[in-house]
Amino acid sequence: MAVNSIQVREFSAFEEAKLTFTSGINVFIGENGTGKTHVLKLIYAMLESARKGGDARVLAAKLAGVFRPDGGQVGRLVRRRQGLATAIVKLTSDIGGGRQEFTLHKSKLGGPKFHGWAEGERSVFLPSREILALYEGFIHAYTERELSFDETYYDACVALNANPARGVRKQAADEIVSTLREALGGHSELHGDRFYVKFSGDRALMEAHLVAEGLRKIASLERLVLNGMLTTNGFLFWDEPEANLNPRLTVVVADLLGLLAKQGVQVFVTTHDFLLARRLSASTAKKGWPATQFFGFFRPQRKDPVKVEQGGTLEELAANPISEQFARQYEFEAELDKAS
């Protein structure tokens, strides 16, 4: 199953928007505060709550967990404006026109309603902050006390905790694991409640929190692919994967997203990074590259609700802050050269 589209009205920063997705890679770009991560979390919450039964109680708890509104009041996710408003969210799939939808008032959640919706594989959400070093003791601590992390961190740690896959899932993982281990220069290991990295040629293990953050991200992916969470027919939501990655690893991640999509993982990423966005855009010209769609989130004026445009490449987006800022930097340097 793949997500075909999401339509939102009066939700978060959006007055009304509809995004139509590809089954391959979906890339969200836009300035800070334009709702990119909110859309990621919204789709993730709906998929995971549907997988766990899909009633109003489960959905409300998941929305509250991933968005963390004050007091767990999911009505606070309705767009802030004068007067009363009702948020409406519709998610459609590629199986038989299946859809799920819910309404959200300031005081209550209506629904969800399902129409021909087929239960899908598990989703993995990777927040912008890496989770391998965070893992030790986190699952227990999150269930026992109030922590200042949203539920995507807890879910990601649970996904890391899964046992290594066997059979068909392991076979599908082999190519991706090989790519990740080459980029990492080793492999990850879980001993007790702590992750380690064993670098090639080293006799000793290194504690994950002593490894550079960019490499920890690669090690996390290796674990998730190895245990079958990111191999076939699932969903990956990754918020700013480029954070704390050097350019070489950024290219590795871009190419890895292509490998995952080829294996049947539907990918959703947000990014502010020129190299990652350009690499994914240019790769659409490669033979066999999975279908890719770009989404530009923007406000026509500062106080306006967010609008969304989409295109098959980065260049097809009119509102493109990544390329625009790169062009400004080029002009800035050209002016300095003239003045020198």
Side-chain angles (χ1 to χ4, degrees):
M1 185 189 82
V3 175
N4 265 3
S5 69
I6 189 167
Q7 185 173 356
V8 294
R9 181 179 300 169
E10 300 292 352
F11 182 87
S12 178
F14 304 93
E15 181 177 49
E16 186 161 9
K18 182 175 182 180
L19 289 70
T20 302
F21 304 118
T22 177
S23 60
I25 304 172
N26 300 277
V27 186
F28 297 174
I29 70 168
E31 295 182 358
N32 291 328
T34 52
K36 302 182 302 297
T37 301
H38 280 196
V39 174
L40 241 60
K41 288 184 173 182
L42 177 59
I43 302 171
Y44 172 74
M46 293 178 73
L47 290 177
E48 281 298 282
S49 63
R51 194 177 62 85
K52 296 178 179 179
D55 61 27
R57 178 186 59 82
V58 172
L59 176 58
K62 198 64 183 177
L63 289 171
V66 301
F67 284 100
R68 290 180 62 88
D70 284 354
Q73 301 176 49
V74 294
R76 294 181 61 81
L77 300 176
V78 177
R79 187 168 73 93
R80 312 290 171 87
R81 64 176 180 81
Q82 289 186 341
L84 297 176
T86 298
I88 301 174
V89 179
K90 297 180 181 179
L91 195 68
T92 67
S93 78
D94 64 348
I95 298 180
R99 72 180 190 273
Q100 60 166 300
E101 57 188 84
F102 70 88
T103 58
L104 194 60
H105 308 279
K106 293 293 179 71
S107 59
K108 65 178 182 178
L109 182 146
K113 299 177 182 178
F114 296 88
H115 307 273
W117 186 264
E119 183 175 314
E121 292 283 339
R122 180 167 181 160
S123 305
V124 172
F125 191 109
L126 294 178
S128 57
R129 178 176 174 179
E130 72 83 27
I131 53 175
L132 205 68
L134 191 71
Y135 176 85
E136 186 175 359
F138 189 86
I139 295 175
H140 176 74
Y142 198 89
T143 58
E144 295 296 322
R145 58 179 63 92
E146 185 73 20
L147 299 180
S148 57
F149 293 90
D150 68 62
E151 199 168 299
T152 62
Y153 288 87
Y154 171 79
D155 290 350
C157 285
V158 170
L160 283 175
N161 189 51
N163 292 324
R166 295 181 178 181
V168 175
R169 282 182 180 265
K170 182 181 183 303
Q171 294 173 16
D174 285 345
E175 179 185 3
I176 303 176
V177 168
S178 176
T179 300
L180 286 166
R181 287 182 173 178
E182 182 178 353
L184 179 62
H187 65 273
S188 64
E189 294 185 14
L190 177 62
H191 294 277
D193 199 29
R194 175 176 283 191
F195 273 101
Y196 296 82
V197 174
K198 174 72 164 60
F199 290 106
S200 301
D202 290 351
R203 300 181 65 180
L205 298 170
M206 182 173 286
E207 299 89 330
H209 61 272
L210 298 180
V211 176
E213 184 171 347
L215 293 177
R216 293 201 301 264
K217 285 192 169 187
I218 299 299
S220 297
L221 285 174
E222 183 233 7
R223 175 73 182 186
L224 291 169
V225 173
L226 195 62
N227 66 18
M229 298 300 294
L230 280 178
T231 308
T232 55
N233 303 323
F235 304 89
L236 171 62
F237 300 88
W238 199 351
D239 195 15
E240 298 181 19
E242 74 277 1
N244 293 309
L245 289 184
N246 66 46
R248 182 181 69 84
L249 291 181
T250 299
V251 170
V252 169
V253 166
D255 294 346
L256 171 72
L257 295 178
L259 287 175
L260 287 170
K262 287 180 182 179
Q263 295 282 8
V265 177
Q266 189 176 18
V267 176
F268 298 85
V269 296
T270 72
T271 184
H272 295 285
D273 186 73
F274 180 80
L275 177 57
L276 179 61
R278 286 287 300 169
R279 180 79 176 193
L280 291 172
S281 183
S283 294
T284 60
K286 292 167 57 177
K287 184 178 180 180
W289 183 261
T292 304
Q293 192 73 208
F294 290 82
F295 299 83
F297 291 61
F298 66 99
R299 298 178 190 269
Q301 301 295 328
R302 184 177 295 273
K303 294 184 178 181
D304 289 346
V306 172
K307 303 289 185 182
V308 184
E309 60 171 349
Q310 60 186 85
T313 64
L314 195 61
E315 289 74 18
E316 292 180 21
L317 301 181
N320 185 345
I322 294 177
S323 296
E324 288 168 4
Q325 191 57 49
F326 186 84
R328 292 190 192 102
Q329 180 65 24
Y330 179 84
E331 291 170 359
F332 172 73
E333 294 182 12
E335 289 298 322
L336 289 179
D337 287 341
K338 289 180 182 178
S340 62

